[in-house]
Amino acid sequence: MKRIGKFRATGIAALTLAILAAAVASQALGGSQHGSKSASGLGPLTGLLPRDHLTEESAIQVDLSKETVRLPLYKGRANGETVWFVLLDASDQGIAHDLGVNYAPKLSNLAIGDPEAVQTVTLDSPTPDENRFGQAVVNFQGAPDFSPTRIAEPGPNGFPLANFQPGAVGGPGYSPFIRIAGSPTVYSAPIVATGDGPFDVVHHTNTGDRVLGIHIAGASAPGQFAESWVDLLFVKGFDAGQPIVYISTDAGQPLTSVLERSTYVPALDKAAYNGGDDFLGSARERLFGFINGQTGADNKESQGFVHLVKDGHASEDASANNTALINALRNGGDLLNVFGDFPTLKDPRHAQAYSPLWDAQLGLWTDKAVQQGLNKRQIDEVQVFNLAATRPDLLTGVNPATGQPAPYGASGVDINCAVIGFIDKAPTANLADPVPNSQFPPR
């Protein structure tokens, strides 16, 4: 049975229970009556995602019917225990291409001012008899504790939550970002399971809260490689007007990890750096979330925190057998965040500014926007920036300590979310040009 503890909203996590009580209370529960150019479909909802739609080329498959991405699973050790991890991103372009993971050069800045955000690992050096074809075991300094019970108890209006607790917490020395001793390359390599099995993929006592299936391969036949893999519940969002899929594995704050079904890693909270994005030394890229967007399972304008809690079965454990949860998310019950730079964008400056560590810019729709039904689904970074810059009467930022409106920008939330691919068409360019003084140039 999972251990039960308590996390209460304090400091930055007050973006937690204190967030937006007044705004949420006035939340319009119905959707808009007519579709608009700001609304977008989610693309195909069933079948396997074509391989030429993947940015994470090592992914074995993406199953849109089951909301899962199947990734190669690698073996490691931490504190004498077997651990299992996935590889998602690398800061070196050649290595990223070789491994079939996302190229994320910003990860080289990750430890600036926060050395604990990157853990140094070592590799075993097996003999030929021990390993003729396969990976060397990775020795981690720490690992997540998956034993806590994830709690996401809805409040009177869904969000803010009445009570919450992360279902996984990074132990001492743990970060999902690693650097192999002797190498400068930084990798995103989150641990998703611990032990030698059997693995709990229902209540997640020894697996991450997004793990829906694990296969551990037996011994490889001569001249062959038997591959282990894990099925992870992916997340849907948007970039440059197009629906995308990504995987959320870690967050630097308790509430964020609960909403994202990810591991709470305190070491990531100060990773370089809040509000940085394209500035000197930043390891982060911007992500845009919305607290009080519209709700409704059949509403093409729904989006955001209240929507996730009310329509996305946020309080339940994710499992392959929880088809109600799977189908809700498949049909748009996710947060539906808007991403900034993406690997398929035509401008190399933007494609190579991608990072899996996202700096959340959280938007609060004003009472005016809610009452007039203008709190519609957003699907493009520049359009969100333009709205925040020109219509503060409709969209503001959030003061984490009070939940009241504040200047738009970074909110002190960071999330490790590697992109997996795009559902329909590749994001190539933003849908609008930036208005003056809405962003840091050049654009």
Side-chain angles (χ1 to χ4, degrees):
M1 181 177 296
K2 281 195 168 187
R3 187 184 68 247
I4 298 179
K6 291 187 180 294
F7 277 85
R8 297 292 184 182
T10 58
I12 192 65
L15 161 65
T16 67
L17 305 183
I19 269 183
L20 320 173
V24 173
S26 63
Q27 162 74 21
L29 297 181
S32 60
Q33 296 299 311
H34 304 285
S36 71
K37 291 183 179 179
S38 67
S40 174
L42 298 169
L45 300 179
T46 60
L48 298 181
L49 199 65
R51 293 210 60 81
D52 61 3
H53 286 34
L54 301 179
T55 64
E56 192 73 40
E57 294 179 354
S58 61
I60 299 168
Q61 67 178 33
V62 174
D63 192 327
L64 299 175
S65 302
K66 297 179 180 178
E67 288 283 291
T68 57
V69 53
R70 179 168 294 177
L71 294 171
L73 190 62
Y74 302 97
K75 187 176 183 178
R77 283 193 298 266
N79 303 316
E81 182 181 32
T82 301
V83 298
W84 302 92
F85 67 97
V86 293
L87 281 173
L88 300 171
D89 308 89
S91 63
D92 179 274
Q93 189 169 25
I95 292 175
H97 181 70
D98 185 44
L99 294 173
V101 300
N102 299 310
Y103 173 44
K106 282 182 178 178
L107 290 184
S108 61
N109 294 328
L110 190 62
I112 294 175
D114 185 17
E116 293 182 353
V118 179
Q119 68 165 309
T120 299
V121 303
T122 61
L123 291 177
D124 281 358
S125 182
T127 67
D129 287 340
E130 292 170 330
N131 183 34
R132 295 188 181 278
F133 183 38
Q135 70 150 132
V137 172
V138 176
N139 298 291
F140 290 82
Q141 296 183 39
D145 176 6
F146 295 118
S147 66
T149 297
R150 177 182 174 273
I151 298 173
E153 181 183 337
N157 295 294
F159 186 86
L161 298 177
N163 187 25
F164 66 91
Q165 174 178 271
V169 179
Y174 178 71
S175 170
F177 297 104
I178 65 171
R179 179 186 290 113
I180 301 170
S183 169
T185 303
V186 176
Y187 305 85
S188 178
I191 293 173
V192 297
T194 56
D196 297 306
F199 296 102
D200 179 2
V201 294
V202 176
H203 300 297
H204 309 291
T205 54
N206 58 0
T207 65
D209 287 315
R210 289 189 174 272
V211 174
L212 303 191
I214 288 183
H215 166 73
I216 304 300
S220 297
Q224 300 181 25
F225 176 67
E227 188 169 46
S228 299
W229 49 258
V230 59
D231 283 339
L232 295 167
L233 181 71
F234 62 63
V235 194
K236 289 180 176 175
F238 294 96
D239 190 280
Q242 298 298 329
I244 63 170
V245 295
Y246 62 97
I247 181 66
S248 185
T249 55
D250 313 272
Q253 305 77 36
L255 175 64
T256 314
S257 70
V258 171
L259 294 173
E260 296 282 342
R261 298 182 186 273
S262 64
T263 299
Y264 169 42
V265 183
L268 297 184
D269 187 47
K270 296 181 180 179
Y273 54 86
N274 283 313
D277 191 34
D278 297 323
F279 291 87
L280 178 67
S282 174
R284 303 189 190 192
E285 177 55 41
R286 287 178 293 233
L287 173 147
F288 305 84
F290 301 87
I291 303 301
N292 56 334
Q294 294 186 24
T295 64
D298 298 321
N299 180 8
K300 290 185 178 181
E301 301 288 1
S302 58
Q303 183 177 44
F305 287 36
V306 177
H307 168 57
L308 174 72
V309 175
K310 286 193 169 185
D311 305 320
H313 296 247
S315 64
E316 301 171 16
D317 286 334
S319 69
N321 293 328
N322 189 345
T323 54
L325 181 150
I326 299 296
N327 288 331
L329 297 178
R330 187 167 59 86
N331 287 285
D334 260 324
L335 286 168
L336 301 179
N337 292 323
V338 177
F339 276 40
D341 292 326
F342 194 83
T344 63
L345 294 175
K346 285 185 176 180
D347 185 342
R349 178 190 172 275
H350 292 293
Q352 295 180 17
Y354 158 77
S355 171
L357 190 64
W358 299 93
D359 189 42
Q361 327 272 296
L362 298 181
L364 171 63
W365 294 104
T366 65
D367 288 343
K368 175 182 177 179
V370 171
Q371 291 165 4
Q372 296 183 11
L374 299 176
N375 54 338
K376 295 181 178 181
R377 180 181 296 176
Q378 301 299 306
I379 59 175
D380 179 79
E381 171 189 28
V382 174
Q383 290 184 338
V384 175
F385 264 131
N386 290 352
L387 184 62
T390 63
R391 297 300 305 270
D393 60 319
L394 299 180
L395 183 69
T396 72
V398 177
N399 182 329
T402 66
Q404 297 301 307
Y408 196 85
S411 58
V413 169
D414 63 338
I415 317 160
N416 183 21
C417 296
V419 297
I420 300 299
F422 53 91
I423 298 176
D424 193 11
K425 297 179 180 179
T428 57
N430 292 113
L431 302 182
D433 294 325
V435 299
N437 302 317
S438 62
Q439 311 180 40
F440 175 71
R443 285 291 171 186

